[in-house]
Amino acid sequence: TTKPTSKPTTSPTISPPTKSPTQTTLVPSGAPTKSVSLEITSEFSIASAHLTKRTSSNPTTSPTLQPLDQGYAQLLQSQNNATLIRLNPIAQNIPLKRFMEWSLLNQTEQAYASDDLGYSQDSWNNPGNNTVEEWSFRDLYDSEAEGALGLGLDSEAWDCHINHYYGYWWSDLAKNGYDVYFSI
């Protein structure tokens, strides 16, 4: 062991940061390189990253997302292109009960969730943490399907909002007509 070089003080020797953690400013570190950067920037948006080109035009007063009459598609527009995105009509009916906090469920609903589907309070309050969500509705055991139905989740709602079609093969998506929602 080494001897301390000074006596302990009662006040901290390091002052707290002067900026709050949410005020992070990114400054370029030098000339551009070909390496990939994993830094998150404030310019990121899902629409611009996946569907449209980022434009430098000024904001307008009209919306940039125009839902079509039938609710089956949306038109995302940018200065240079327009991309038609088909929306799954099932996705428009969000099963709100599944996204309620555990404590807001009544005893019967908590029993369906815990006894039939294997949810705990923690896994219910943090979607994606229960292995039952990995299975499509048709692959659930009868008691699990009963629990889902008891919570108001029919096969379409389960597969869309809980399983997110991860339990489907591409041929299943095509057979059921869902493949159009995964294609551009």
Side-chain angles (χ1 to χ4, degrees):
T1 60
T2 59
K3 289 186 173 185
T5 56
S6 64
K7 292 182 181 180
T9 62
T10 55
S11 60
T13 57
I14 299 175
S15 60
T18 56
K19 290 174 109 180
S20 75
T22 58
Q23 295 176 331
T24 303
T25 305
L26 299 176
V27 179
S29 58
T33 65
K34 290 185 180 182
S35 64
V36 176
S37 170
L38 298 177
E39 292 180 12
I40 297 173
T41 67
S42 61
E43 294 291 318
F44 180 79
S45 77
I46 291 175
S48 67
H50 297 291
L51 305 173
T52 61
K53 295 179 182 175
R54 192 84 158 135
T55 63
S56 59
S57 62
N58 292 330
T60 63
T61 56
S62 60
T64 55
L65 297 177
Q66 302 290 330
L68 299 180
D69 292 339
Q70 297 175 349
Y72 292 105
Q74 262 182 351
L75 194 60
L76 296 178
Q77 297 178 337
S78 72
Q79 262 183 345
N80 301 326
N81 66 355
T83 305
L84 185 65
I85 308 281
R86 296 182 187 274
L87 295 180
N88 182 343
I90 297 165
Q92 307 308 306
N93 299 316
I94 298 170
L96 299 178
K97 187 166 299 209
R98 171 57 191 96
F99 302 102
M100 291 174 64
E101 190 173 308
W102 179 268
S103 63
L104 299 175
L105 299 176
N106 64 38
Q107 265 187 319
T108 304
E109 294 163 341
Q110 286 181 0
Y112 281 129
S114 63
D115 299 344
D116 296 333
L117 293 167
Y119 283 100
S120 65
Q121 180 175 352
D122 184 57
S123 64
W124 180 267
N125 288 342
N126 296 288
N129 287 308
N130 187 341
T131 56
V132 76
E133 296 175 9
E134 297 171 7
W135 300 99
S136 68
F137 190 87
R138 70 173 182 271
D139 293 328
L140 295 176
Y141 290 111
D142 290 342
S143 61
E144 293 169 333
E146 248 179 65
L149 292 169
L151 291 167
L153 299 164
D154 62 9
S155 63
E156 288 183 336
W158 179 272
D159 289 343
C160 180
H161 295 283
I162 308 303
N163 177 253
H164 308 291
Y165 302 108
Y166 291 136
Y168 280 60
W169 293 94
W170 184 259
S171 58
D172 297 327
L173 292 171
K175 183 174 87 177
N176 290 296
Y178 300 136
D179 58 328
V180 298
Y181 308 117
F182 294 88
S183 304
I184 293 182

